Amino acid sequence: MSEIRFDGRVAIVTGAGGGLGRTYALELARRGCAVVVNDPGCARDGSGASAQMADAVVDEIRAAGGRAVASYDGVHTVAGGQAMVDRAVREFGRLDVVIHNAGILRDRSFRKMTEDDWDSVIAVHLKGLFGVCRPAIDEMVKSAYGRIVLTASGAGLFGNFGQTNYAAAKMGQIGAMQVLNLECAKYGIRVNTISPAAATRMTADVQQSSGTPPECVTPAVVYLASEACNESGVIIRAQGGRFSRQAIAFNA
């Protein structure tokens, strides 16, 4: 099988300043993709902001001969998502791939969870899907091609103590994936989901976290983001360097 390439393609990777997003951006760029490296540089709970994280990944890509620009916009508003899409088109002329990887954590048992804990996590993970993918799909329709990779989690699929907000947002992405595929298939746009387990800043003190390096998840995302992937509605569970399709079954 020939190597998967992204020559002439343009991608937005959200949350690309570290962890999984960084590895996705670096690998896409290594394979010829121009990348908008999006990261507002906030702390794990969503507080603060800095250009440093996105800029560092852009510098890595450029030092290796690749093409990249930074975006510091938040995913939680359509204005932020539109700004990312506009930057991609302005700098590189088109948009082919979106990897919605941005995330924050506000872990707390449900009875102790505040409204702000709930709203902040939903805003980034779930409303962020709308904020970025809504303008991105409009752009992809113009070229009748697109690949969108959403991010689920074992916390949603199997549960994890203290992560009701996070789990709800992640399962919401799976529901959105199913509907987007019904609506976007006629435009050549495929929407799939990765459910990763890897050691990152996000999982440093999370129960049931994995010690798997982020680089072990990247091959699955590269495939889902590529022209080689003509499937849609696929959920790939990446854990321990192994990949499996995740089926969701509900027993009556």
Side-chain angles (χ1 to χ4, degrees):
M1 183 178 178
S2 60
E3 181 188 21
I4 291 175
R5 298 288 304 176
F6 292 85
D7 301 296
R9 299 295 188 192
V10 179
I12 293 172
V13 183
T14 68
L20 289 163
R22 173 181 168 273
T23 68
Y24 301 158
L26 291 174
E27 188 61 19
L28 289 177
R30 188 185 74 79
R31 294 169 182 262
C33 195
V35 184
V36 176
V37 177
N38 168 256
D39 203 302
C42 60
R44 196 176 71 163
D45 66 357
S47 62
S50 169
Q52 185 176 357
M53 293 180 71
D55 286 348
V57 177
V58 169
D59 289 344
E60 280 189 84
I61 291 172
R62 290 178 176 174
R67 298 184 298 156
V69 294
S71 159
Y72 319 113
D73 300 288
V75 301
H76 60 292
T77 67
V78 173
Q82 185 69 62
M84 295 175 215
V85 173
D86 290 345
R87 186 141 174 76
V89 175
R90 183 170 65 250
E91 296 287 341
F92 304 120
R94 58 185 293 131
L95 178 63
D96 304 288
V97 177
V98 168
I99 301 175
H100 178 46
N101 169 75
I104 65 170
L105 289 178
R106 297 280 188 91
D107 290 357
R108 209 180 301 271
S109 64
F110 191 66
R111 291 182 62 206
K112 296 179 180 179
M113 188 169 289
T114 67
E115 185 176 8
D116 186 57
D117 292 332
W118 182 273
D119 288 348
S120 296
V121 170
I122 296 295
V124 172
H125 291 274
L126 192 53
K127 187 182 177 185
L129 183 159
F130 180 80
V132 177
C133 292
R134 174 66 178 80
I137 288 171
D138 281 348
E139 191 61 37
M140 291 172 176
V141 165
K142 295 176 184 178
S143 55
Y145 177 86
R147 296 293 182 267
I148 296 173
V149 184
L150 305 177
T151 306
S153 170
L157 294 167
F158 310 114
N160 201 27
F161 187 90
Q163 292 193 316
T164 314
N165 49 3
Y166 179 76
K170 290 305 190 183
M171 289 302 284
Q173 293 202 34
I174 292 174
M177 173 192 73
Q178 305 289 20
V179 177
L180 286 175
N181 278 312
L182 293 175
E183 296 180 356
C184 295
K186 64 182 178 181
Y187 302 114
I189 299 170
R190 305 287 181 261
V191 187
N192 294 293
T193 300
I194 184 75
S195 177
T200 68
R201 180 180 66 153
M202 287 278 287
T203 63
D205 57 3
V206 175
Q207 293 184 35
Q208 301 177 12
S209 65
S210 164
T212 304
E215 291 80 4
C216 291
V217 177
T218 305
V221 174
V222 167
Y223 169 71
L224 293 176
S226 74
E227 192 172 354
C229 178
N230 276 313
E231 299 178 275
S232 57
V234 173
I235 305 167
I236 293 183
R237 177 78 172 151
Q239 188 169 26
R242 297 181 178 181
F243 306 117
S244 61
R245 287 173 180 257
Q246 183 67 54
I248 299 178
F250 296 93
N251 295 321

